[in-house]
Amino acid sequence: MASPHTPTLRDVAAAAGVAASTASHALNGKGRVDAATRARVQQIAHGLGYHPNRSAQTLRSHRTSTLALMLPTPVLPAREGLSSAAYLNFDWYGRVATTAAQSAFLADHSLLLLPSMKDPNELRRIEMDGVLVVDPSTHDPRLDILTTRGIPSVAVGPGNAALFASCITPDLATTTATLMNHLTEQGARNILVLTPGTNSEWTRATTMACIHWFRDRNIKPRISSHLTSFPGTHTVEYLAAAAYTTTRNALTSKNPPDAILSLTLGAAPAAARAAHDLGLSIPGDVLIAQDIDEPALLTSGPPITAFDFFPEEQAATAVQLLLALVNGDEAAAQHLARSKLRMRASTGEHRIENQRDTPRATVRSNAPPEPRSHAR
């Protein structure tokens, strides 16, 4: 039997037809709210049975001065996946966490890194004023707990508007299409997309952008979305090994791709190793790119093309958006993050236009070496 819904401040605001900040000011006696509106909001709150709890008092003077940062975590108990601790091996997530902490400190707030939780109800015992949710999952029970408690949250990455009052994200539809266009401009005609699936809003957005790109050109989408189905992909090393194996199988198939786009951190360098181990040249025989830049792409042979999404800027902006919500101010529903395409040798300019008609390098048939581990 479903538990009864606990009214939140957003419920009161929606019923009263006012902004959440207006509802908060009307209930706590702060801000400029006319008497009629204040009385109506208070009456509606009473009728709904709204009772703000201590941890949800983001608009009252009694606060914890603590913000929290929530990294992605497996949301299906029966399925293994990267833990929150494992995500910090990736440079991108580490930079977001570090900058978020620095920004919180500058505002005289502490930042709590929330661990993976088998039981999302554990969130109920943690006192915090607001939460940054990095790379939100499409179905994350932790978000239901935050909503029930009335704790403000900001998504770092695309977030469901019904769950987040605000988010900061790049225009992933545009950046993904730009990468696909760049590959075709460099001669690619058969692009393989590596994706871990659509369990996060980010990968769902980028994967759908690829699908739309293929369909707009009447091309059958070629997307490998089963990387996380490989045994052991709950570690960064084995996720890279899965990308290696998937790439090698594709390159030795009857229809080998001439370009690979990774929508997974760490997968592009693994794909490059697979191509090299087969005796293929990059970018001569196969182009390789990744949607998110990271240091490992610079040290790969050759350096790999990717989009720089400026994680430090995203984290700092997310903290400011969250503090605005905590203080009862209005925050932009969506803040567009800066992005820049870093074109590197893996999609080099020297590929000739008729590359698709040029014989590929002979692929060695010997067994592959053990894939090297790859952690950031």
Coordinates of all heavy atoms in Angstrom, one line a residue, residues 26-122:
A26 N 5.4 34.1 2.8 CA 4.0 34.2 3.4 C 3.9 33.4 4.6 O 3.3 33.8 5.6 CB 3.0 33.8 2.4
L27 N 4.6 32.3 4.7 CA 4.5 31.4 5.8 C 5.5 31.7 7.0 O 5.2 31.5 8.1 CB 4.7 29.9 5.4 CG 3.7 29.3 4.5 CD1 4.1 28.0 4.0 CD2 2.3 29.2 5.2
N28 N 6.6 32.3 6.6 CA 7.6 32.6 7.6 C 7.6 34.1 8.0 O 8.4 34.5 8.9 CB 9.0 32.1 7.3 CG 9.5 32.8 6.0 OD1 9.2 34.0 5.7 ND2 10.4 32.1 5.3
G29 N 6.8 34.9 7.4 CA 6.7 36.3 7.8 C 7.7 37.2 7.2 O 7.9 38.3 7.6
K30 N 8.5 36.7 6.2 CA 9.6 37.5 5.6 C 9.1 37.9 4.2 O 8.2 37.4 3.6 CB 10.9 36.7 5.6 CG 11.4 36.3 6.9 CD 12.7 35.6 6.8 CE 13.4 35.2 8.1 NZ 14.6 34.5 8.0
G31 N 9.9 38.8 3.6 CA 9.7 39.2 2.3 C 8.5 40.2 2.1 O 7.8 40.4 3.1
R32 N 8.3 40.7 1.0 CA 7.2 41.6 0.7 C 6.1 40.8 0.1 O 6.0 40.6 -1.1 CB 7.7 42.7 -0.3 CG 8.8 43.6 0.3 CD 9.2 44.6 -0.7 NE 10.3 45.5 -0.2 CZ 10.8 46.5 -0.8 NH1 10.5 46.7 -2.1 NH2 11.8 47.2 -0.3
V33 N 5.1 40.5 0.9 CA 3.9 39.8 0.5 C 2.7 40.5 1.0 O 2.7 40.8 2.2 CB 3.9 38.3 1.0 CG1 2.7 37.6 0.5 CG2 5.2 37.6 0.5
D34 N 1.8 40.8 0.1 CA 0.6 41.6 0.6 C -0.2 40.7 1.6 O -0.2 39.5 1.5 CB -0.2 42.1 -0.6 CG -0.8 40.9 -1.4 OD1 -1.9 40.4 -0.9 OD2 -0.2 40.6 -2.4
A35 N -1.0 41.4 2.4 CA -1.7 40.7 3.5 C -2.7 39.6 3.0 O -2.8 38.5 3.5 CB -2.5 41.7 4.3
A36 N -3.4 40.0 1.8 CA -4.3 39.0 1.3 C -3.7 37.7 0.8 O -4.2 36.6 1.1 CB -5.1 39.7 0.2
T37 N -2.5 37.9 0.1 CA -1.8 36.7 -0.4 C -1.3 35.9 0.8 O -1.3 34.7 0.8 CB -0.7 37.2 -1.3 OG1 -1.2 37.9 -2.4 CG2 0.1 35.9 -1.8
R38 N -0.7 36.6 1.8 CA -0.2 35.9 2.9 C -1.3 35.0 3.6 O -1.0 33.9 3.9 CB 0.4 36.9 3.9 CG 1.2 36.2 5.1 CD 1.7 37.3 6.1 NE 2.5 38.3 5.4 CZ 3.8 38.2 5.1 NH1 4.4 37.1 5.5 NH2 4.4 39.2 4.6
A39 N -2.4 35.7 3.8 CA -3.5 34.9 4.5 C -4.0 33.7 3.6 O -4.3 32.7 4.2 CB -4.7 35.9 4.7
R40 N -4.1 33.9 2.3 CA -4.5 32.9 1.4 C -3.5 31.7 1.4 O -3.9 30.5 1.5 CB -4.7 33.4 0.0 CG -5.2 32.3 -1.0 CD -5.7 33.0 -2.3 NE -4.7 33.9 -2.8 CZ -3.8 33.5 -3.7 NH1 -3.7 32.2 -4.1 NH2 -2.9 34.4 -4.2
V41 N -2.2 32.0 1.4 CA -1.2 30.9 1.4 C -1.3 30.2 2.7 O -1.2 28.9 2.8 CB 0.2 31.5 1.2 CG1 1.3 30.5 1.4 CG2 0.3 32.1 -0.3
Q42 N -1.4 30.9 3.8 CA -1.4 30.3 5.1 C -2.7 29.4 5.3 O -2.6 28.3 5.8 CB -1.4 31.3 6.2 CG -0.1 32.1 6.3 CD -0.1 33.2 7.3 OE1 -1.2 33.6 7.8 NE2 1.0 33.7 7.7
Q43 N -3.8 29.8 4.7 CA -5.0 29.0 4.8 C -4.9 27.7 3.9 O -5.3 26.6 4.4 CB -6.2 29.8 4.3 CG -7.5 29.1 4.4 CD -8.7 30.0 3.9 OE1 -8.5 31.0 3.3 NE2 -9.9 29.5 4.1
I44 N -4.3 27.9 2.8 CA -4.1 26.7 1.9 C -3.1 25.7 2.5 O -3.3 24.5 2.5 CB -3.6 27.2 0.5 CG1 -4.7 27.9 -0.3 CG2 -3.0 26.0 -0.3 CD1 -4.2 28.5 -1.6
A45 N -2.0 26.2 3.1 CA -1.0 25.4 3.8 C -1.7 24.6 4.9 O -1.5 23.4 5.1 CB 0.1 26.2 4.4
H46 N -2.6 25.3 5.7 CA -3.3 24.6 6.8 C -4.2 23.5 6.2 O -4.3 22.4 6.8 CB -4.1 25.6 7.6 CG -4.9 25.0 8.7 ND1 -4.3 24.5 9.9 CD2 -6.2 24.8 8.8 CE1 -5.3 24.0 10.6 NE2 -6.4 24.2 10.0
G47 N -4.9 23.9 5.1 CA -5.8 22.9 4.5 C -5.1 21.7 4.0 O -5.7 20.6 4.0
L48 N -3.9 21.9 3.5 CA -3.2 20.7 2.9 C -2.5 19.9 4.0 O -2.0 18.8 3.7 CB -2.1 21.2 1.9 CG -2.6 21.8 0.6 CD1 -1.5 22.4 -0.2 CD2 -3.4 20.7 -0.2
G49 N -2.4 20.5 5.2 CA -1.7 19.8 6.3 C -0.2 19.9 6.1 O 0.5 19.0 6.5
Y50 N 0.2 21.1 5.6 CA 1.7 21.3 5.4 C 2.3 21.7 6.7 O 1.9 22.6 7.4 CB 1.9 22.4 4.4 CG 3.4 22.9 4.3 CD1 4.3 22.1 3.7 CD2 3.7 24.1 4.8 CE1 5.6 22.5 3.6 CE2 5.0 24.6 4.7 CZ 6.0 23.7 4.1 OH 7.3 24.1 4.1
H51 N 3.4 20.9 7.1 CA 4.1 21.2 8.3 C 5.6 21.1 8.0 O 6.1 20.0 7.9 CB 3.8 20.2 9.4 CG 2.3 20.3 9.9 ND1 1.8 21.3 10.6 CD2 1.3 19.4 9.6 CE1 0.5 21.1 10.8 NE2 0.2 19.9 10.2
P52 N 6.3 22.2 7.8 CA 7.7 22.2 7.5 C 8.5 21.6 8.6 O 8.3 21.9 9.8 CB 8.1 23.6 7.3 CG 7.1 24.4 8.0 CD 5.8 23.6 7.9
N53 N 9.4 20.6 8.3 CA 10.2 20.1 9.4 C 11.5 20.8 9.5 O 11.9 21.7 8.7 CB 10.5 18.6 9.1 CG 11.2 18.3 7.8 OD1 12.2 19.0 7.5 ND2 10.7 17.4 7.0
R54 N 12.3 20.5 10.5 CA 13.5 21.3 10.9 C 14.5 21.3 9.7 O 15.1 22.3 9.4 CB 14.1 20.7 12.1 CG 15.4 21.4 12.6 CD 15.9 20.9 13.9 NE 17.1 21.5 14.3 CZ 18.3 21.2 14.0 NH1 18.5 20.1 13.2 NH2 19.4 21.8 14.5
S55 N 14.7 20.1 9.1 CA 15.7 20.0 8.1 C 15.3 20.7 6.8 O 16.1 21.0 5.9 CB 16.1 18.5 7.8 OG 14.9 17.9 7.3
A56 N 14.0 21.0 6.7 CA 13.5 21.6 5.4 C 13.4 23.1 5.6 O 12.9 23.7 4.7 CB 12.2 21.0 5.0
Q57 N 13.8 23.6 6.7 CA 13.6 25.1 6.9 C 14.7 25.9 6.2 O 15.6 26.5 6.9 CB 13.6 25.4 8.4 CG 12.4 24.8 9.1 CD 11.1 25.5 8.6 OE1 10.9 26.7 8.6 NE2 10.3 24.7 7.9
T58 N 14.8 25.8 4.9 CA 15.8 26.5 4.2 C 15.5 28.0 4.1 O 16.4 28.8 3.8 CB 15.8 26.0 2.7 OG1 14.6 26.2 2.1 CG2 16.2 24.5 2.7
L59 N 14.3 28.5 4.5 CA 14.0 29.9 4.4 C 13.8 30.5 5.8 O 13.4 31.7 5.8 CB 12.7 30.0 3.6 CG 12.7 29.4 2.2 CD1 11.4 29.6 1.5 CD2 13.8 30.0 1.4
R60 N 14.2 29.8 6.8 CA 14.1 30.4 8.1 C 15.5 30.6 8.6 O 16.5 30.1 8.1 CB 13.3 29.4 9.1 CG 11.9 29.4 8.8 CD 11.1 28.4 9.6 NE 11.4 28.5 11.0 CZ 10.9 27.6 11.9 NH1 10.2 26.6 11.5 NH2 11.2 27.8 13.2
S61 N 15.7 31.3 9.7 CA 17.0 31.6 10.2 C 17.7 30.4 10.8 O 18.9 30.4 10.8 CB 16.9 32.7 11.3 OG 16.1 32.3 12.4
H62 N 17.0 29.4 11.2 CA 17.6 28.3 11.8 C 18.0 27.3 10.7 O 17.2 26.5 10.2 CB 16.6 27.6 12.8 CG 17.3 26.4 13.5 ND1 18.3 26.6 14.5 CD2 17.1 25.1 13.5 CE1 18.7 25.5 14.9 NE2 18.0 24.5 14.3
R63 N 19.2 27.3 10.3 CA 19.7 26.5 9.2 C 20.9 25.7 9.7 O 21.5 26.0 10.7 CB 20.1 27.3 8.0 CG 19.0 28.1 7.4 CD 19.6 28.8 6.2 NE 18.7 29.8 5.6 CZ 19.0 30.8 4.9 NH1 20.3 31.0 4.7 NH2 18.1 31.7 4.5
T64 N 21.3 24.7 8.9 CA 22.5 23.9 9.2 C 23.8 24.5 8.6 O 24.9 24.2 9.0 CB 22.4 22.5 8.7 OG1 22.3 22.5 7.3 CG2 21.1 21.8 9.2
S65 N 23.6 25.4 7.6 CA 24.7 26.0 6.9 C 25.5 24.9 6.2 O 26.7 25.0 6.1 CB 25.6 26.9 7.8 OG 25.0 28.0 8.2
T66 N 24.8 23.8 5.8 CA 25.4 22.7 5.2 C 24.7 22.4 3.9 O 23.5 22.2 3.9 CB 25.4 21.4 6.1 OG1 26.1 21.7 7.3 CG2 26.0 20.2 5.4
L67 N 25.5 22.3 2.8 CA 25.0 21.8 1.5 C 25.5 20.4 1.3 O 26.5 20.0 1.9 CB 25.5 22.7 0.4 CG 25.2 24.2 0.5 CD1 25.8 25.0 -0.7 CD2 23.7 24.5 0.7
A68 N 24.8 19.7 0.5 CA 25.3 18.3 0.2 C 25.5 18.1 -1.3 O 24.8 18.8 -2.1 CB 24.2 17.3 0.7
L69 N 26.3 17.2 -1.7 CA 26.5 16.9 -3.1 C 26.3 15.4 -3.2 O 26.9 14.6 -2.5 CB 27.9 17.3 -3.5 CG 28.3 17.1 -5.0 CD1 29.2 18.2 -5.5 CD2 28.9 15.8 -5.3
M70 N 25.4 15.1 -4.2 CA 25.0 13.7 -4.4 C 25.5 13.2 -5.8 O 25.1 13.8 -6.8 CB 23.5 13.6 -4.3 CG 23.0 12.2 -4.1 SD 21.3 12.2 -3.5 CE 20.4 12.8 -4.9
L71 N 26.4 12.3 -5.8 CA 26.9 11.7 -7.0 C 26.0 10.6 -7.5 O 25.2 10.1 -6.8 CB 28.3 11.1 -6.8 CG 29.4 12.2 -6.5 CD1 30.7 11.5 -6.0 CD2 29.8 13.0 -7.8
P72 N 26.1 10.2 -8.8 CA 25.3 9.1 -9.3 C 25.5 7.8 -8.5 O 26.6 7.6 -7.9 CB 25.8 8.9 -10.7 CG 26.4 10.2 -11.1 CD 27.0 10.7 -9.8
T73 N 24.5 7.0 -8.4 CA 24.6 5.7 -7.7 C 23.7 4.7 -8.4 O 22.7 5.1 -9.0 CB 24.3 5.9 -6.2 OG1 24.6 4.7 -5.5 CG2 22.8 6.2 -6.1
P74 N 24.0 3.4 -8.3 CA 23.1 2.4 -8.9 C 21.7 2.6 -8.2 O 21.6 2.8 -7.0 CB 23.7 1.1 -8.5 CG 25.2 1.4 -8.2 CD 25.2 2.8 -7.7
V75 N 20.7 2.5 -9.1 CA 19.3 2.7 -8.5 C 18.5 1.4 -8.6 O 17.4 1.3 -8.1 CB 18.6 3.8 -9.3 CG1 19.3 5.1 -9.1 CG2 18.5 3.5 -10.8
L76 N 19.1 0.3 -9.2 CA 18.4 -1.0 -9.3 C 19.2 -1.9 -8.4 O 20.3 -2.3 -8.7 CB 18.4 -1.5 -10.7 CG 17.6 -0.6 -11.7 CD1 17.7 -1.2 -13.1 CD2 16.2 -0.5 -11.3
P77 N 18.6 -2.4 -7.3 CA 19.3 -3.2 -6.3 C 19.9 -4.5 -6.9 O 20.9 -5.0 -6.5 CB 18.2 -3.6 -5.3 CG 17.1 -2.5 -5.5 CD 17.2 -2.1 -6.9
A78 N 19.2 -5.0 -8.0 CA 19.7 -6.3 -8.6 C 20.8 -6.1 -9.6 O 21.3 -7.0 -10.1 CB 18.5 -7.0 -9.2
R79 N 21.2 -4.8 -9.8 CA 22.1 -4.6 -10.8 C 23.4 -3.9 -10.3 O 23.2 -2.9 -9.5 CB 21.5 -3.7 -11.9 CG 22.5 -3.4 -13.1 CD 21.8 -2.6 -14.1 NE 22.6 -2.2 -15.2 CZ 22.2 -1.6 -16.3 NH1 20.9 -1.2 -16.4 NH2 23.0 -1.3 -17.3
E80 N 24.5 -4.4 -10.6 CA 25.8 -3.7 -10.2 C 26.0 -2.5 -11.0 O 25.6 -2.4 -12.1 CB 26.9 -4.7 -10.3 CG 26.9 -5.8 -9.3 CD 28.2 -6.6 -9.4 OE1 28.6 -7.0 -10.5 OE2 28.8 -7.0 -8.4
G81 N 26.7 -1.5 -10.4 CA 27.0 -0.3 -11.1 C 28.1 0.4 -10.3 O 28.5 0.0 -9.2
L82 N 28.6 1.5 -10.9 CA 29.7 2.2 -10.2 C 29.1 2.8 -8.9 O 28.0 3.4 -8.9 CB 30.2 3.4 -11.1 CG 30.9 2.9 -12.3 CD1 31.3 4.2 -13.2 CD2 32.2 2.2 -12.0
S83 N 29.9 2.8 -7.8 CA 29.5 3.4 -6.6 C 29.8 4.9 -6.6 O 30.6 5.3 -7.5 CB 30.2 2.7 -5.4 OG 31.6 3.0 -5.5
S84 N 29.3 5.6 -5.6 CA 29.6 7.0 -5.6 C 31.1 7.2 -5.4 O 31.7 8.1 -6.0 CB 28.9 7.7 -4.4 OG 27.5 7.7 -4.6
A85 N 31.8 6.4 -4.6 CA 33.2 6.5 -4.4 C 34.0 6.2 -5.7 O 35.0 6.9 -6.0 CB 33.7 5.4 -3.4
A86 N 33.5 5.3 -6.6 CA 34.1 5.0 -7.8 C 34.1 6.2 -8.8 O 35.0 6.4 -9.6 CB 33.5 3.7 -8.5
Y87 N 32.9 6.9 -8.7 CA 32.8 8.1 -9.6 C 33.9 9.1 -9.4 O 34.3 9.8 -10.3 CB 31.4 8.7 -9.5 CG 30.3 8.0 -10.3 CD1 29.5 7.1 -9.8 CD2 30.2 8.3 -11.7 CE1 28.5 6.5 -10.6 CE2 29.2 7.7 -12.5 CZ 28.4 6.8 -11.9 OH 27.4 6.2 -12.7
L88 N 34.4 9.2 -8.2 CA 35.4 10.2 -7.9 C 36.7 9.8 -8.5 O 37.7 10.6 -8.5 CB 35.6 10.3 -6.3 CG 34.4 11.0 -5.6 CD1 34.6 11.0 -4.1 CD2 34.3 12.5 -6.1
N89 N 36.9 8.6 -9.1 CA 38.1 8.3 -9.9 C 38.1 9.0 -11.2 O 39.1 9.1 -11.8 CB 38.1 6.7 -10.1 CG 38.5 6.0 -8.9 OD1 39.2 6.4 -8.0 ND2 37.9 4.8 -8.7
F90 N 36.9 9.4 -11.6 CA 36.8 10.2 -12.9 C 37.2 11.6 -12.6 O 36.6 12.3 -11.7 CB 35.4 10.1 -13.5 CG 35.1 8.7 -14.0 CD1 34.1 7.9 -13.3 CD2 35.6 8.2 -15.2 CE1 33.8 6.7 -13.8 CE2 35.3 7.0 -15.6 CZ 34.4 6.2 -14.9
D91 N 38.0 12.2 -13.4 CA 38.5 13.6 -13.2 C 37.3 14.5 -13.2 O 37.3 15.5 -12.4 CB 39.5 13.9 -14.3 CG 39.9 15.4 -14.3 OD1 40.7 15.8 -13.5 OD2 39.3 16.2 -15.1
W92 N 36.3 14.3 -14.1 CA 35.2 15.3 -14.2 C 34.4 15.4 -13.0 O 34.2 16.5 -12.5 CB 34.3 14.8 -15.4 CG 33.4 15.9 -15.9 CD1 33.6 16.8 -16.9 CD2 32.1 16.2 -15.4 NE1 32.6 17.6 -17.1 CE2 31.6 17.3 -16.2 CE3 31.3 15.6 -14.4 CZ2 30.3 17.8 -16.0 CZ3 30.0 16.2 -14.2 CH2 29.5 17.3 -15.0
Y93 N 34.1 14.3 -12.3 CA 33.3 14.3 -11.1 C 34.2 14.9 -9.9 O 33.7 15.6 -9.1 CB 32.8 12.9 -10.7 CG 31.8 12.4 -11.7 CD1 32.1 11.5 -12.7 CD2 30.5 12.8 -11.5 CE1 31.1 11.0 -13.5 CE2 29.5 12.4 -12.4 CZ 29.8 11.5 -13.4 OH 28.8 11.0 -14.3
G94 N 35.5 14.6 -9.9 CA 36.3 15.1 -8.9 C 36.5 16.6 -9.0 O 36.4 17.3 -7.9
R95 N 36.5 17.2 -10.2 CA 36.6 18.6 -10.3 C 35.3 19.3 -9.9 O 35.3 20.4 -9.3 CB 37.0 18.9 -11.8 CG 38.4 18.6 -12.2 CD 38.6 18.5 -13.7 NE 38.5 19.8 -14.3 CZ 38.6 19.9 -15.6 NH1 38.7 18.9 -16.4 NH2 38.5 21.1 -16.2
V96 N 34.2 18.7 -10.2 CA 32.9 19.2 -9.8 C 32.8 19.2 -8.3 O 32.5 20.3 -7.7 CB 31.7 18.4 -10.4 CG1 30.4 18.8 -9.7 CG2 31.6 18.6 -11.9
A97 N 33.2 18.1 -7.6 CA 33.1 18.1 -6.2 C 34.0 19.1 -5.5 O 33.7 19.8 -4.5 CB 33.4 16.7 -5.7
T98 N 35.3 19.2 -6.0 CA 36.2 20.1 -5.4 C 35.8 21.6 -5.5 O 35.8 22.3 -4.6 CB 37.6 20.0 -6.1 OG1 38.1 18.6 -5.9 CG2 38.6 20.9 -5.5
T99 N 35.3 22.0 -6.7 CA 34.9 23.3 -6.9 C 33.6 23.6 -6.1 O 33.5 24.7 -5.6 CB 34.7 23.6 -8.4 OG1 35.9 23.4 -9.1 CG2 34.3 25.1 -8.6
A100 N 32.7 22.7 -6.0 CA 31.5 22.9 -5.3 C 31.9 23.1 -3.8 O 31.3 24.0 -3.1 CB 30.6 21.7 -5.4
A101 N 32.8 22.4 -3.3 CA 33.3 22.6 -1.9 C 33.9 24.0 -1.7 O 33.6 24.7 -0.7 CB 34.3 21.5 -1.5
Q102 N 34.7 24.4 -2.6 CA 35.3 25.7 -2.6 C 34.3 26.8 -2.6 O 34.3 27.8 -1.8 CB 36.3 25.9 -3.7 CG 37.6 25.0 -3.6 CD 38.4 25.0 -4.8 OE1 37.9 25.3 -5.9 NE2 39.7 24.7 -4.7
S103 N 33.3 26.7 -3.5 CA 32.2 27.7 -3.6 C 31.4 27.7 -2.3 O 31.0 28.8 -1.9 CB 31.4 27.4 -4.8 OG 32.1 27.4 -6.0
A104 N 31.1 26.6 -1.8 CA 30.3 26.5 -0.5 C 31.1 27.2 0.6 O 30.6 28.0 1.4 CB 30.0 25.1 -0.2
F105 N 32.4 26.9 0.7 CA 33.2 27.5 1.7 C 33.2 29.0 1.6 O 33.2 29.7 2.7 CB 34.7 27.0 1.7 CG 34.8 25.5 1.9 CD1 36.0 24.8 1.6 CD2 33.8 24.8 2.5 CE1 36.1 23.5 1.8 CE2 33.9 23.4 2.8 CZ 35.1 22.8 2.4
L106 N 33.3 29.5 0.4 CA 33.3 31.0 0.2 C 32.0 31.6 0.7 O 32.0 32.8 1.1 CB 33.5 31.3 -1.3 CG 35.0 31.0 -1.8 CD1 35.0 31.3 -3.3 CD2 36.0 31.9 -1.1
A107 N 31.0 30.8 0.7 CA 29.7 31.3 1.2 C 29.4 30.9 2.7 O 28.3 31.0 3.2 CB 28.5 30.8 0.4
D108 N 30.5 30.5 3.4 CA 30.4 30.1 4.8 C 29.5 28.9 5.0 O 28.8 28.9 6.0 CB 30.0 31.3 5.7 CG 31.0 32.5 5.7 OD1 32.2 32.1 5.6 OD2 30.6 33.6 5.7
H109 N 29.5 28.0 4.0 CA 28.8 26.8 4.2 C 29.7 25.6 4.1 O 30.8 25.7 3.4 CB 27.7 26.6 3.1 CG 26.5 27.5 3.3 ND1 26.5 28.8 3.3 CD2 25.2 27.1 3.5 CE1 25.3 29.3 3.5 NE2 24.5 28.2 3.6
S110 N 29.4 24.5 4.7 CA 30.2 23.3 4.5 C 29.5 22.5 3.4 O 28.4 22.7 3.0 CB 30.2 22.5 5.8 OG 28.9 22.1 6.2
L111 N 30.3 21.6 2.8 CA 29.7 20.7 1.7 C 29.9 19.2 2.2 O 31.0 18.8 2.4 CB 30.4 21.0 0.4 CG 29.8 20.1 -0.8 CD1 28.5 20.7 -1.2 CD2 30.8 20.0 -1.9
L112 N 28.8 18.5 2.2 CA 28.8 17.1 2.6 C 28.7 16.2 1.3 O 27.8 16.4 0.6 CB 27.6 16.8 3.5 CG 27.4 15.4 4.0 CD1 28.6 14.9 4.8 CD2 26.1 15.3 4.7
L113 N 29.7 15.3 1.1 CA 29.6 14.4 0.0 C 28.8 13.2 0.5 O 29.2 12.5 1.5 CB 31.0 14.0 -0.4 CG 31.8 15.0 -1.1 CD1 33.2 14.4 -1.5 CD2 31.1 15.5 -2.4
L114 N 27.7 12.9 -0.1 CA 26.8 11.8 0.3 C 27.2 10.5 -0.4 O 27.4 10.5 -1.6 CB 25.3 12.1 -0.1 CG 24.7 13.4 0.5 CD1 23.3 13.6 0.0 CD2 24.7 13.2 2.0
P115 N 27.4 9.5 0.4 CA 27.8 8.2 -0.2 C 26.7 7.5 -0.8 O 25.5 7.9 -0.7 CB 28.3 7.4 1.1 CG 27.4 8.0 2.2 CD 27.2 9.4 1.9
S116 N 27.0 6.4 -1.5 CA 25.9 5.5 -2.1 C 25.1 5.0 -0.9 O 25.6 4.7 0.2 CB 26.5 4.4 -2.9 OG 27.3 4.8 -3.9
M117 N 23.8 4.8 -1.1 CA 22.9 4.3 -0.1 C 22.1 3.2 -0.6 O 21.3 3.4 -1.6 CB 22.1 5.5 0.5 CG 22.8 6.6 1.1 SD 21.8 7.9 1.6 CE 23.0 9.1 2.4
K118 N 22.2 2.0 0.0 CA 21.3 1.0 -0.4 C 19.8 1.3 -0.1 O 18.9 0.9 -0.8 CB 21.7 -0.3 0.2 CG 23.1 -0.8 -0.2 CD 23.4 -2.2 0.4 CE 24.8 -2.7 -0.1 NZ 25.2 -4.0 0.5
D119 N 19.6 2.0 1.0 CA 18.3 2.4 1.4 C 18.2 3.9 1.3 O 18.8 4.6 2.1 CB 18.0 1.9 2.8 CG 16.6 2.3 3.3 OD1 15.8 2.8 2.5 OD2 16.3 2.0 4.4
P120 N 17.5 4.4 0.3 CA 17.4 5.9 0.2 C 16.8 6.6 1.4 O 17.0 7.8 1.6 CB 16.5 6.1 -1.1 CG 15.8 4.8 -1.3 CD 16.7 3.7 -0.7
N121 N 16.1 5.9 2.2 CA 15.5 6.5 3.4 C 16.5 6.9 4.4 O 16.2 7.7 5.3 CB 14.5 5.5 4.1 CG 13.2 5.4 3.3 OD1 12.5 6.4 3.2 ND2 12.9 4.2 2.8
E122 N 17.8 6.5 4.2 CA 18.9 7.0 5.1 C 19.0 8.5 4.9 O 19.6 9.1 5.8 CB 20.2 6.3 4.7 CG 20.2 4.8 5.1 CD 21.5 4.1 4.7 OE1 22.5 4.8 4.5 OE2 21.5 2.9 4.5

